[in-house]
Amino acid sequence: GVVAVDRGTIVRHLSRGGGERGSVVLVPGGAAEAMHAHPGVFRLVLKRRRGFVRVALQTGCSLVPTLVFGENELVPTLYVADGGGTTRLRRALLRWQTLAKDRLGFVAPFALVPFPRRARLTPVTGPP
């Protein structure tokens, strides 16, 4: 299921009673990373996202790094990398998305097509 992504909720799910340990899947880049997802650009948002590492150390849980290459090629969005060549409409949409992220905590990037393109996805999973 889906749960809140606050420290207390994550610790509670990872520290279940009875010796049983739970697991969670986190997307540390979250909404900020989604706002920069578009074909030809691969940008991770991790610099200030270290709380999940501290929680894993605190609860004794393993981190399993996983990354899927090619996701950004699936859906063309209205955003341009680093603002270069950005139109007035694109800037307005980015401002609206930033406001939505700040107020709601999530965003859904504006896509140019209703369905994803075919693209090769390469999932990579590291050791725990």
Side-chain angles (χ1 to χ4, degrees):
V2 177
V3 297
V5 189
D6 61 81
R7 189 177 200 285
T9 303
I10 300 299
V11 168
R12 198 168 36 258
H13 279 283
L14 294 176
S15 306
R16 292 183 181 166
E20 184 180 319
R21 199 179 279 167
S23 63
V24 295
V25 174
L26 298 173
V27 180
E33 199 168 278
M35 289 176 63
H36 295 287
H38 51 276
V41 174
F42 186 77
R43 180 180 293 174
L44 292 175
V45 177
L46 291 173
K47 195 170 193 174
R48 289 186 255 155
R49 313 282 173 108
R50 296 184 300 261
F52 68 97
V53 176
R54 284 191 291 272
V55 169
L57 290 170
Q58 173 190 351
T59 59
C61 293
S62 299
L63 291 174
V64 181
T66 303
L67 188 62
V68 179
F69 292 95
E71 282 183 313
N72 291 357
E73 306 305 316
L74 295 176
V75 180
T77 62
L78 290 173
Y79 307 122
V80 176
D82 301 322
T86 305
T87 65
R88 189 174 291 177
L89 172 63
R90 288 179 179 178
R91 284 193 304 269
L93 290 174
L94 185 58
R95 278 195 300 272
W96 185 88
Q97 290 287 57
T98 302
L99 179 66
K101 180 181 84 65
D102 292 344
R103 302 278 189 222
L104 303 174
F106 67 91
V107 294
F110 291 104
L112 296 173
V113 294
F115 301 105
R117 298 176 181 168
R118 286 183 167 268
R120 179 176 297 277
L121 298 179
T122 307
V124 179
T125 302

